Amino acid sequence: MNDASPFLELSPDSTPRVIVRFDGQDYRLPEGANLAAALLAAGLRSLRDTPVSGAPRGPFCMMGACYDCLVQIDGITRQACMVEVSDGLIVTRAPADKGA
């Protein structure tokens, strides 16, 4: 856990840790945890930028309703709050597509 994070990690110490790469940085996250929650506990605040203003966005509702936690996993845009942490995940910020 990142000591600077205001979010507490609720996984017991016995939970196995796996490597998840977010934007080129490796993080040791609890296997099976909610991806958005685990990234927050690791100290990340912004997972994407809004397409119009470029304002940073991070997890908000944590139940799949708001889409502020969009990320890209294996080239597919997904909501981080709806994904479980698994070994070898490669996650990047969702592209801020401003449209054509």
Side-chain angles (χ1 to χ4, degrees):
M1 181 178 92
N2 181 339
D3 291 334
S5 174
F7 298 96
L8 298 176
E9 187 176 296
L10 300 178
S11 300
D13 291 337
S14 61
T15 301
R17 300 289 173 150
V18 295
I19 300 296
V20 172
R21 178 168 285 188
F22 181 81
D23 275 353
Q25 173 76 33
D26 287 344
Y27 294 90
R28 292 179 48 78
L29 304 178
E31 187 172 32
N34 176 287
L35 179 60
L39 291 172
L40 282 171
L44 289 166
R45 297 290 165 269
S46 171
L47 303 184
R48 72 178 187 98
D49 297 323
T50 60
V52 176
S53 70
R57 289 289 183 258
F60 180 70
C61 74
M62 299 300 286
M63 64 181 189
C66 74
Y67 294 88
D68 275 343
C69 66
L70 290 178
V71 294
Q72 219 170 45
I73 302 172
D74 295 329
I76 299 170
T77 301
R78 308 215 19 218
Q79 294 164 282
C81 70
M82 304 302 286
V83 175
E84 284 188 2
V85 170
S86 61
D87 192 29
L89 277 180
I90 298 177
V91 184
T92 58
R93 293 176 181 276
D97 183 7
K98 296 183 183 197

